[in-house]
Amino acid sequence: MIVIKSPIDLEILLNKIRGNNKKIGFAATMGALHDGHISLIKRSKEENDTTVCSIFINPKQFNDSSDLEKYPRPIENDLILLKEVGADIVFLPDYNDIYPQNYIEPEINLSGLDNVLEGLTRPGHFKGVALVVKRLFECVNPDVAYFGQKDYQQTLVIKEIVKQFKIPSDIAVCSILREKNGLAMSSRNIRLSAEQRERASFIYKMLLQLKEDVKSLPLKEALNKAENILLKNEGVQIDYLTIVNQQTLVPEETLNLGKSSVALVVVDYFGVRLLDNIYL
Ligand code: AMP
């Protein structure tokens, strides 16, 4: 496994690999790796000759400076995990490598995808995601880039940037890896106590129940029931629970089961923001 900090060194190495007709897969992360991240690397390894993983905590996507400060940075352990899973190249840039002094932010239009849901509670977040992903794609130029369905809205934002800037990479969306109790894996889960983490299974249970309920109940009724399931749990505040179109994120009036809808939920659970979603 090669660890590279400089975008120029990375470009030289990847050009050599590409020259040998090797396919390059890429997973972008902010570190504090867990099995969810590792599942992206595993899939990339299955489908490509060389797998690159980046670790970069992007300040431009944090609208809350204390969230940025608190973000875990267990880099040595991350490198051990990446070596174990067989990542070929780890890209570990500094802030100035990604945003050099002469960097000019490109105009980015996210077609309104950034003004809803996560965008409402985290203004500027998706613009920051778009900027970093665009820069990372310039550095890695992968054949395929792997992103998690867990950050559903983010996958749409990334597809939009790829389209807008004509980036010649395919985007693969990977299913959500869960803890044994169903809680979606997240770097933030370590902020929960062991007991809270165990109890947090109620989020996925609610989503499974909702998926069943929409088959027989009117949409509003199914959503009300789901909200009540969430609110029965101590320490929960619902940020949003909604059923939207998979492409546009516009709330659904009626369901086209198995085709176009996704249920998205975000709760604050004892001060930790937990995201999850399910296709309906
Ligand atoms: P992050 O380090 O949080 O920016 O996440 C890096 C990538 O890992 C993103 O594409 C995430 O969607 C993905 N990811 C995070 N958690 C999971 C999970 N539980 N299952 C699958 N992918 C995940």
Side-chain angles (χ1 to χ4, degrees):
M1 186 173 85
I2 305 173
V3 180
I4 295 187
K5 181 183 160 307
S6 137
I8 294 168
D9 292 347
L10 181 69
E11 196 184 330
I12 293 169
L13 177 63
L14 289 177
N15 278 343
K16 249 191 228 159
I17 292 170
R18 227 174 268 115
N20 290 332
N21 262 336
K22 302 283 186 202
K23 213 175 148 196
I24 296 167
F26 173 50
T29 80
M30 298 203 298
L33 302 181
H34 50 68
D35 284 349
H37 298 109
I38 297 301
S39 71
L40 307 186
I41 308 287
K42 283 186 180 158
R43 180 152 165 212
S44 170
K45 278 182 66 68
E46 277 165 24
E47 298 177 1
N48 300 277
D49 303 298
T50 298
T51 290
V52 182
C53 175
S54 65
I55 299 179
F56 177 65
I57 301 177
N58 174 35
K60 288 188 192 283
Q61 72 187 67
F62 286 81
N63 52 318
D64 173 352
S65 56
S66 85
D67 195 23
L68 173 62
E69 272 160 37
K70 278 192 283 181
Y71 205 85
R73 291 164 168 82
I75 185 66
E76 268 153 35
N77 192 51
D78 287 349
L79 291 176
I80 292 171
L81 294 177
L82 288 172
K83 195 159 185 191
E84 266 173 20
V85 69
D88 301 291
I89 300 172
V90 183
F91 180 38
L92 264 186
D94 285 336
Y95 184 86
N96 288 327
D97 296 313
I98 294 296
Y99 306 114
Q101 281 199 338
N102 57 359
Y103 172 74
I104 299 170
E105 282 192 8
E107 284 271 321
I108 291 182
N109 173 4
L110 293 173
S111 309
L113 286 172
D114 51 335
N115 296 330
V116 293
L117 303 167
E118 287 300 283
L120 287 178
T121 15
R122 306 179 72 190
H125 168 67
F126 285 119
K127 176 104 185 295
V129 169
L131 289 174
V132 77
V133 170
K134 182 168 185 300
R135 278 292 295 132
L136 289 170
F137 274 72
E138 282 163 7
C139 297
V140 181
N141 191 9
D143 293 282
V144 191
Y146 296 82
F147 292 90
Q149 182 199 322
K150 195 196 110 217
D151 299 283
Y152 188 80
Q153 193 172 358
Q154 174 171 280
T155 63
L156 295 188
V157 164
I158 285 156
K159 287 177 185 167
E160 182 63 31
I161 314 162
V162 164
K163 196 168 92 191
Q164 205 170 111
F165 292 99
K166 300 189 172 59
I167 294 172
S169 304
D170 291 333
I171 302 301
V173 177
C174 306
S175 46
I176 303 174
L177 225 84
R178 300 180 176 282
E179 307 209 0
K180 273 205 190 88
N181 67 355
L183 174 65
M185 287 186 180
S186 162
S187 308
R188 292 193 162 92
N189 291 355
I190 52 171
R191 292 199 208 147
L192 297 169
S193 71
E195 194 189 336
Q196 290 164 350
R197 199 159 162 163
E198 199 44 49
R199 288 194 178 172
S201 61
F202 67 86
I203 300 168
Y204 185 49
K205 285 189 189 137
M206 174 282 292
L207 286 176
L208 290 174
Q209 183 66 49
L210 178 60
K211 189 176 166 101
E212 272 312 296
D213 285 344
V214 290
K215 292 179 190 160
S216 54
L217 295 177
L219 208 65
K220 273 208 177 120
E221 233 173 90
L223 278 170
N224 276 343
K225 184 175 164 194
E227 257 182 48
N228 288 332
I229 294 178
L230 291 178
L231 292 173
K232 264 194 221 140
N233 296 276
E234 191 198 339
V236 172
Q237 279 178 332
I238 301 175
D239 188 342
Y240 55 82
L241 168 62
T242 182
I243 294 176
V244 297
N245 177 281
Q246 285 177 19
Q247 262 75 50
T248 61
L249 298 181
V250 172
E252 299 277 41
E253 299 283 330
T254 52
L255 282 194
N256 195 353
L257 281 180
K259 287 232 169 76
S260 64
S261 305
V262 58
L264 304 173
V265 61
V266 176
V267 298
D268 181 298
Y269 188 46
F270 291 105
V272 183
R273 222 163 166 270
L274 301 176
L275 283 77
D276 207 341
N277 65 74
I278 197 165
Y279 291 123
L280 297 179

